[in-house]
């Protein structure tokens, strides 16, 4: 029990020297969501926090804090969730889905990373997910 309490405090402690309040973090999350809705930078396997920070003109620390505190996720988990959502959309759209191709089209660098995050986020492999769609 002691360990869990320590972990809960860590996130808040980690950002105690930064002066972002809840409203500012909400604005940052709104900016991030709008950016990805229109730009879809996550489809580029080389996309990273530096690029997002530069494009939004928001510091990496502020982006990281907003994601961690408001959404309880980190940058790469957030990006991979967007990529898995794109993969799900492509699997649903394409009848003759080649999962490796879909992984690349969704922004993953390789097959193993795609399968790992797809299963982690959806609880199913891409082929199991496809099977569930047709049942």
């Amino acid at each position: 029990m002691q360990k869990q309490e320590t972990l809960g405090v860590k996130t808040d402690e980690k950002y105690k020297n930064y002066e972002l309040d809840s409203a500012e973090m909400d604005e940052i999350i709104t900016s991030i969501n709008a950016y990805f809705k229109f730009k879809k930078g996550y489809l580029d396997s080389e996309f990273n926090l530096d690029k997002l920070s530069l494009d939004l003109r928001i510091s990496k620390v502020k982006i990281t804090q907003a994601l961690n505190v408001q959404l309880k996720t980190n940058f790469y988990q957030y990006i991979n969730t967007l990529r898995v959502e794109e993969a799900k959309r492509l699997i649903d759209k394409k009848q003759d889905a080649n999962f490796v191709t879909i992984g690349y089209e969704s922004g993953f660098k390789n097959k193993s990373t795609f399968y790992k995050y797809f299963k982690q986020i959806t609880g199913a492999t891409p082929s199991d997910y496809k099977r569930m769609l047709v049942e």
Side-chain angles (χ1 to χ4, degrees), residues 74-91:
N74 67 42
F75 174 76
Y76 288 103
Q77 289 168 328
Y78 181 82
I79 293 299
N80 286 326
T81 300
L82 293 174
R83 289 173 174 160
V84 167
E85 287 304 312
E86 178 68 12
K88 285 167 50 180
R89 189 186 69 73
L90 291 171
I91 290 168

Side-chain angles (χ1 to χ4, degrees), residues 3-135:
K3 202 175 212 176
Q4 282 182 322
E5 290 171 16
T6 307
L7 289 175
V9 173
K10 243 182 180 175
T11 302
D12 295 336
E13 286 291 312
K14 186 176 181 180
Y15 298 109
K16 70 181 179 187
N17 295 326
Y18 301 102
E19 298 298 320
L20 278 185
D21 63 28
S22 184
E24 288 172 298
M25 286 188 277
D26 286 342
E27 282 180 38
I28 291 168
I29 297 300
T30 299
S31 295
I32 292 168
N33 288 334
Y35 174 86
F36 285 124
K37 183 177 181 181
F38 296 106
K39 275 226 171 187
K40 297 187 189 270
Y42 57 88
L43 297 178
D44 175 3
S45 65
E46 299 299 318
F47 189 82
N48 59 33
L49 182 56
D50 290 327
K51 173 79 170 129
L52 180 63
S53 175
L54 190 66
D55 287 355
L56 291 179
R57 294 186 176 100
I58 300 171
S59 78
K60 294 187 294 185
V61 170
K62 288 181 177 183
I63 291 170
T64 300
Q65 180 181 356
L67 288 171
N68 279 291
V69 175
Q70 297 297 91
L71 300 182
K72 309 284 187 252
T73 191
N74 67 42
F75 174 76
Y76 288 103
Q77 289 168 328
Y78 181 82
I79 293 299
N80 286 326
T81 300
L82 293 174
R83 289 173 174 160
V84 167
E85 287 304 312
E86 178 68 12
K88 285 167 50 180
R89 189 186 69 73
L90 291 171
I91 290 168
D92 190 31
K93 183 178 152 187
K94 297 181 176 188
Q95 295 305 316
D96 57 343
N98 176 320
F99 299 123
V100 175
T101 303
I102 285 175
Y104 288 124
E105 288 176 3
S106 302
F108 288 97
K109 285 186 180 184
N110 58 53
K111 177 184 171 181
S112 61
T113 305
F114 169 54
Y115 275 75
K116 173 186 168 186
Y117 285 106
F118 194 94
K119 172 104 177 170
Q120 184 179 53
I121 291 167
T122 66
T125 64
S127 53
D128 289 342
Y129 178 81
K130 176 76 172 176
R131 225 176 285 117
M132 288 187 287
L133 288 176
V134 277
E135 289 177 354

